[in-house]
Amino acid sequence: MTDDAEKRWPDDGSFRRAVRYVLAVLGVAALVCAVAAVWAATGRCRDADALLCDTGARIAVLFGPGLVLLAGGVGAFVETIRVWRREGPWPIWQGAGWFLFLIMLFYLGMGASTVPAD
């Protein structure tokens, strides 16, 4: 068993893989947001004054990327457990998971005001 307090981790590429994973999840979330916004703009909201004119468009733009970020965070935590079992540098992946969860909470928090409370 390794000492979990040890901060000198071997450079096995885990940090670069975690950064690429986070950037890929953020890219997919941005793509989902763009696709949802285009869908909302070409639907019933085409002639409306606002881009997100109905509840369906607001929910799609809000929860589409939110679900992608949630799945990415859960995936990072699964990788944390896998790396921990191999006695590798698991805190890197745990940090990636918490970062994605934090971004998800910020995104949902900022967008929550667009969804009506009905």
Side-chain angles (χ1 to χ4, degrees):
M1 181 70 59
T2 61
D3 183 14
D4 284 343
E6 179 65 42
K7 300 299 184 226
R8 293 175 292 176
W9 299 314
D11 186 18
D12 61 351
S14 280
F15 181 74
R16 283 186 286 278
R17 282 191 357 220
V19 168
R20 282 194 305 259
Y21 177 81
V22 167
L23 291 177
V25 169
L26 292 176
V28 170
L31 182 66
V32 168
C33 183
V35 167
V38 168
W39 169 78
T42 59
R44 295 186 325 185
C45 297
R46 180 179 308 161
D47 299 327
D49 293 335
L51 173 67
L52 304 175
C53 68
D54 63 348
T55 304
R58 290 176 184 160
I59 290 175
V61 171
L62 179 64
F63 289 118
L67 289 175
V68 170
L69 292 168
L70 175 68
V74 169
F77 286 130
V78 168
E79 186 64 20
T80 299
I81 293 172
R82 293 176 65 211
V83 171
W84 174 73
R85 287 183 181 166
R86 291 191 310 259
E87 297 182 1
W90 59 269
I92 294 169
W93 283 97
Q94 187 179 29
W98 283 119
F99 178 75
L100 289 172
F101 273 10
L102 184 67
I103 296 296
M104 177 194 65
L105 287 176
F106 282 149
Y107 182 79
L108 292 176
M110 287 187 303
S113 63
T114 64
V115 178
D118 298 349

